Amino acid sequence: MKIYSPVSKPLIRQGFGKENTNASVMHIYQSLGLLGHDGWDFMVNCKDSQVKHGGQCQPIYYSMDGYGTISYIQKDDAHGWGINAIDEDGIHKYCWWHFDIINPDLKVGDRIEGGDYLGGAGNTGYSTGAHLHFGLYEYGLEDNGYKGAIDPTPFYVPIFVNDFIDGLKAQISIIKKILEVIKSLLK
């Protein structure tokens, strides 16, 4: 599994785990039954750092290798606007939270793949400012102190997913041209 950046110019503001949790917000995670922060918080560009519904924050994209299936879309101001997806093998769940805008074309059961637009970052739910919360969960680890969340760091490739996809398309185009030349030589 590889995880690419869901935002351009990625900067992780808060990492995974107790050791990476800001002490001033540790009580929030503990009140939720967690040992610490259960994902990554990516900084995002917004015209208003406290934007709510209708603001102009940067777009967020599905950034995993392989495809996923949307399992949950939540629009609740108490918990935040978010999307969950399950990987193609059914082993991992991916979560993106605090959206200001969720792509209205997305529905539970939709298949998504790298570069698909999920929505715009925001500041909904338990949030102290506009950012994107990304969580990686592994089924069967619900009792790990993070309700199944695991550290995404070992799987992370710090390249914006759309830059990666554009690179793949360029490589595919070159390979197709080489194959055309080979075919013409074999005639």
Side-chain angles (χ1 to χ4, degrees):
M1 167 181 34
K2 291 183 183 172
I3 302 170
Y4 300 94
S5 176
V7 297
S8 62
K9 299 180 183 171
L11 182 58
I12 298 171
R13 182 172 74 180
Q14 183 169 232
F16 177 88
K18 185 176 183 178
E19 65 281 357
N20 293 310
T21 304
N22 186 317
S24 67
V25 293
M26 180 61 88
H27 68 281
I28 295 171
Y29 300 107
Q30 290 172 337
S31 73
L32 297 170
L34 301 169
L35 296 175
H37 192 236
D38 60 340
W40 283 345
D41 287 345
F42 285 92
M43 290 182 71
V44 295
N45 293 322
C46 292
K47 291 199 174 188
D48 177 353
S49 64
Q50 296 299 318
V51 71
K52 297 261 188 195
H53 313 306
Q56 297 181 14
C57 288
Q58 80 185 87
I60 306 300
Y61 300 92
Y62 183 77
S63 59
M64 319 311 290
D65 64 346
Y67 71 88
T69 302
I70 295 178
S71 59
Y72 187 68
I73 296 175
Q74 178 172 317
K75 287 188 171 183
D76 177 324
D77 285 335
H79 299 100
W81 287 22
I83 297 174
N84 293 354
I86 299 169
D87 70 358
E88 58 193 285
D89 298 323
I91 297 169
H92 295 98
K93 176 175 74 171
Y94 314 122
C95 303
W96 300 267
W97 291 95
H98 308 306
F99 284 96
D100 184 62
I101 298 165
I102 292 179
N103 179 347
D105 296 330
L106 295 178
K107 309 280 183 283
V108 171
D110 284 355
R111 180 180 161 153
I112 53 178
E113 49 192 46
D116 286 350
Y117 172 68
L118 298 177
N123 184 33
T124 58
Y126 298 132
S127 175
T128 57
H131 69 282
L132 171 68
H133 177 87
F134 172 77
L136 171 63
Y137 292 77
E138 186 171 318
Y139 290 108
L141 293 180
E142 288 76 15
D143 295 331
N144 68 347
Y146 296 94
K147 298 186 179 179
I150 60 174
D151 186 357
T153 303
F155 310 104
Y156 186 54
V157 179
I159 300 170
F160 178 43
V161 65
N162 289 352
D163 291 343
F164 174 74
I165 290 170
D166 289 345
L168 282 178
K169 287 179 183 175
Q171 290 176 11
I172 290 169
S173 176
I174 292 168
I175 291 169
K176 284 181 179 178
K177 288 178 184 175
I178 292 170
L179 289 174
E180 289 173 12
V181 169
I182 292 171
K183 282 183 184 178
S184 70
L185 292 172
L186 293 175
K187 288 183 178 181

